[in-house]
Amino acid sequence: MARDNGEPGFGVYLHWPFCAAKCPYCDFNSHVRHQPVDQKRFMAAFAREIDHMRALSGPREVTSIFIGGGTPSLMAPETLGGILEAVAKAWHVPDGIEITLEANPSSVEATRFRGYRAAGVNRVSMGVQALDDRQLRFLGRLHNVEQALGAIGLAREIFPRMSFDLIYARPGQTIDDWVAELNRAIDLAADHLSLYQLTIEEGTAFYALHKAGKLTVPDEDHAAELYEITQAVTAERGLPAYEVSNHARPGAESRHNLTYWRYGDYAGIGPGAHGRLTTAEGKIATAAERHPETWLGMVEQAGHGTSEQSMLTGEEQADELLLMGLRVKEGVDLSRWSSLSGRSVDAEREAFLIDLGLVERIGNHRLRATPEGMLVLNRVVAELS
């Protein structure tokens, strides 16, 4: 992993909010439309909002672009190409930077993938989620294992870099079941895996089932055991964790996600997208209108779909830096935290957490969560804030 040199980079996040179906565990800003989406109209709106963000950020050099969703692989390659052209007109986009597209196996076809590659995408992140047909049906996925394997193979053939996601700690999942599935995933993976524990989020179909007692997830002890075995297996197989849920071969970490975790700037564009931008007045937080058609109307009328914009205080920035930075194995630069907050980390609280084995120092100026601390990260952050 490239060292944190104090310059986290400048990322551009593009949110395509449409999906073919809503997964029962998903609380992301995704929407199903039963009529074709007017992609030309949305593409023009993306270009206008990009121009608005450029006016806020000033001239910047982009270090990564991430197209998320929703299901961006439902976009026509021409739509994506037009949006990426708008990014390149607004900011300097050097050749060869990481450009990631999220894709679902059920929306994959060779011609579309080749079109994305021609548009500039050089990394794809596949929403596989399970390598078991029964579990895929439980998770509400539209693909089966055969389709997932085909999509993974196609992605490896077309794109220089490929990652895919799996969800574990599913109801009834044993340690042996997960170890077998995880090893199979590592055999298939190119250089990166994102491995997430199933969480029950308010507003999802799974939340309603769980509240009604019709869905039982692993208890905390079993979930912790699954997490620990995940760390052990991936490390042994050459894809160690570099963040709570992300694993990569050395040098293959997600450049874009590292910008988030190192608390860099990023422009969030599209319905529901969030951003952090350093302006002449200070660092601002932006959030866009979540409903796609409402966002579209706002952009066409006002040039942007921002529904919330606020100036962040130094203390708020320090809290965000801590929250994001402790997720990563490299930890947090405490001198940067102090410069933002105007104070030093409380020595007694830090010593308390060190004694508990939840955090540790790296040299004189960095602090990171230990593997045990990663299991209770919210507590660690709250104690240090």
Side-chain angles (χ1 to χ4, degrees):
M1 179 167 62
R3 288 180 59 83
D4 178 5
N5 61 3
E7 298 179 3
F10 175 66
V12 175
Y13 176 75
L14 304 162
H15 189 81
W16 187 258
F18 302 109
C19 280
K22 185 76 172 179
C23 295
Y25 57 84
C26 177
D27 69 336
F28 293 164
N29 189 41
S30 58
H31 302 262
V32 177
R33 295 291 179 263
H34 299 294
Q35 299 296 324
V37 172
D38 188 339
Q39 294 197 26
K40 287 187 177 179
R41 190 176 167 196
F42 271 91
M43 181 175 69
F46 269 83
R48 287 197 68 185
E49 188 160 77
I50 287 165
D51 286 343
H52 172 74
M53 293 300 173
R54 167 60 173 79
L56 290 175
S57 73
R60 299 291 298 267
E61 179 171 290
V62 177
T63 52
S64 65
I65 300 171
F66 195 101
I67 307 103
T71 307
S73 53
L74 293 174
M75 259 192 285
E78 296 77 16
T79 304
L80 177 61
I83 294 171
L84 292 177
E85 285 178 11
V87 172
K89 288 178 182 177
W91 297 286
H92 174 52
V93 180
D95 291 340
I97 67 162
E98 179 186 282
I99 302 178
T100 302
L101 175 86
E102 288 187 337
N104 281 340
S106 54
S107 64
V108 166
E109 57 180 78
T111 54
R112 188 178 290 164
F113 260 26
R114 296 188 194 282
Y116 298 145
R117 181 71 187 100
V121 173
N122 53 26
R123 182 176 182 271
V124 68
S125 178
M126 304 283 296
V128 173
Q129 312 307 9
L131 293 172
D132 177 279
D133 283 337
R134 183 176 62 84
Q135 291 297 318
L136 286 170
R137 289 191 294 271
F138 162 73
L139 292 168
R141 306 300 286 168
L142 298 180
H143 62 274
N144 57 31
V145 173
E146 182 180 359
Q147 288 172 311
L149 297 180
I152 290 168
L154 188 63
R156 293 189 66 163
E157 174 189 334
I158 293 173
F159 298 99
R161 297 178 60 196
M162 186 270 294
S163 176
F164 64 88
D165 300 354
L166 291 180
I167 294 173
Y168 67 101
R170 305 185 297 255
Q173 188 177 41
T174 68
I175 297 294
D176 288 345
D177 288 342
W178 174 231
V179 169
E181 187 174 3
L182 180 55
N183 273 303
R184 187 182 185 192
I186 294 169
D187 290 338
L188 294 166
D191 57 17
H192 192 286
L193 284 173
S194 296
L195 307 170
Y196 301 104
Q197 288 200 14
L198 177 64
T199 55
I200 305 301
E201 304 292 348
E202 191 168 355
T204 65
F206 274 0
Y207 180 83
L209 290 171
H210 186 259
K211 193 172 183 180
K214 297 178 180 179
L215 177 63
T216 303
V217 296
D219 61 30
E220 286 187 7
D221 289 342
H222 187 48
E225 193 175 359
L226 286 165
Y227 175 81
E228 289 166 357
I229 199 69
T230 300
Q231 311 315 302
V233 171
T234 53
E236 182 181 343
R237 295 291 309 275
L239 276 82
Y242 68 100
E243 188 267 348
V244 173
S245 302
N246 285 273
H247 305 254
R249 302 196 190 284
E253 298 85 1
S254 167
R255 179 67 182 85
H256 188 82
N257 286 338
L258 282 172
T259 295
Y260 295 153
W261 298 322
R262 290 171 173 170
Y263 201 50
D265 278 9
Y266 56 97
I269 296 140
H274 289 247
R276 295 289 185 275
L277 293 172
T278 300
T279 69
E281 289 75 33
K283 191 155 187 167
I284 61 171
T286 65
E289 162 62 42
R290 292 172 60 85
H291 185 264
E293 287 76 20
T294 304
W295 172 87
L296 181 64
M298 290 171 66
V299 176
E300 290 178 339
Q301 182 175 356
H304 65 88
T306 303
S307 58
E308 298 177 31
Q309 181 173 311
S310 60
M311 188 69 63
L312 295 168
T313 65
E315 193 71 32
E316 287 170 333
Q317 293 179 57
D319 285 346
E320 291 188 342
L321 171 68
L322 193 65
L323 179 65
M324 300 302 284
L326 284 178
R327 296 183 61 88
V328 194
K329 188 176 181 180
E330 67 186 18
V332 173
D333 182 342
L334 291 179
S335 59
R336 187 176 173 210
W337 185 88
S338 294
S339 70
L340 289 171
S341 65
R343 58 190 173 90
S344 298
V345 169
D346 187 294
E348 289 187 7
R349 292 183 179 182
E350 181 186 345
F352 172 68
L353 293 172
I354 289 174
D355 287 344
L356 290 177
L358 301 180
V359 299
E360 60 188 4
R361 280 279 185 147
I362 312 171
N364 294 325
H365 302 294
R366 300 193 75 83
L367 185 73
R368 71 177 174 192
T370 64
E372 293 75 20
M374 290 289 189
L375 290 169
V376 289
L377 198 54
N378 288 342
R379 176 188 169 188
V380 171
V381 172
E383 192 69 33
L384 290 170
S385 297

